[in-house]
Amino acid sequence: MSSLREMSFLENYEYEAHGDSMGQLLACYNKFSLKVSNLSGNWTFNQERLPEVSRPFGNSVTSIFSRTQPMAAFGAECKRLMEKGVYKNLDEILNAVEGLEFRKQPEESMDQLLLVLNQIGGKAKKIGDAQRFYFQLAFRELFLPDAAQYRDLSGAWTSAQEKYEMLYT
């Protein structure tokens, strides 16, 4: 059942000869992942900085964002933002990706993301579902123009954690 939910974000994305929305979604997500990696200076997990994290969600930006939970969450949130009329299409979301930045030290911010994911993994009954929902909240913070942490890769992780805890703990 969880696998079906992970892939449910694909439902309304379909191939069209004049505009392949699935291809656009994947290109947009790839651009997001590359942007975070570049801005973070190709951050990698360091056990000395995070001794409390014995099994990290990922050891690099690429390994974190190549997992199904953030991918599914990205697709779901893009779909939600377009349905709500915040963005007309994926090209507009791609433009928002271009404006992403770390307002604090990237290393500290990426370490914070791993700490949050570690805490979720330690508390959640259905870890994959919880992580996916957390990532969707984080993407909402990053891409919703009215959000307090709009385009801020430092603040989005902690803001999404606060919202996640209010809703699900």
Side-chain angles (χ1 to χ4, degrees):
M1 186 67 165
S2 184
S3 296
L4 292 175
R5 281 190 295 240
E6 287 172 359
M7 299 309 290
S8 68
F9 81 102
L10 301 174
E11 266 178 19
N12 290 333
Y13 295 101
E14 50 191 54
Y15 176 78
E16 299 171 11
H18 63 278
D20 177 6
S21 64
M22 177 53 70
Q24 289 176 315
L25 175 65
L26 293 173
C28 189
Y29 186 75
N30 183 56
K31 185 78 167 181
F32 165 79
S33 180
L34 290 173
K35 180 79 172 180
V36 175
S37 185
N38 290 335
L39 288 173
S40 72
N42 296 313
W43 168 91
T44 57
F45 170 71
N46 181 320
Q47 186 72 55
E48 291 177 10
R49 284 194 319 265
L50 297 171
E52 63 273 39
V53 179
S54 59
R55 290 182 42 196
F57 186 82
N59 290 314
S60 66
V61 171
T62 303
S63 68
I64 290 170
F65 292 109
S66 65
R67 297 191 54 179
T68 58
Q69 297 91 328
M71 284 182 186
F74 185 87
E77 191 56 26
C78 287
K79 178 178 158 184
R80 182 189 162 284
L81 290 168
M82 289 186 297
E83 285 175 349
K84 298 280 184 193
V86 176
Y87 295 98
K88 293 177 188 166
N89 53 46
L90 288 167
D91 288 335
E92 289 185 357
I93 296 172
L94 190 59
N95 288 336
V97 168
E98 288 297 326
L100 293 176
E101 64 182 345
F102 284 100
R103 294 187 186 144
K104 295 181 181 174
Q105 290 297 316
E107 182 178 274
E108 177 185 322
S109 301
M110 293 305 299
D111 287 353
Q112 180 63 38
L113 174 59
L114 280 190
L115 285 172
V116 171
L117 291 166
N118 190 58
Q119 290 170 2
I120 290 170
K123 294 178 187 177
K125 292 177 184 169
K126 293 186 175 186
I127 296 171
D129 290 345
Q131 291 165 333
R132 187 173 39 262
F133 183 69
Y134 165 75
F135 273 111
Q136 188 168 355
L137 292 171
F139 290 131
R140 190 169 300 160
E141 281 296 308
L142 285 172
F143 297 119
L144 185 64
D146 294 337
Q149 305 305 325
Y150 177 58
R151 295 184 181 179
D152 178 13
L153 290 160
S154 300
W157 312 136
T158 52
S159 183
Q161 179 187 25
E162 292 167 7
K163 289 180 169 113
Y164 173 85
E165 288 176 357
M166 283 190 317
L167 295 168
Y168 289 96
T169 59

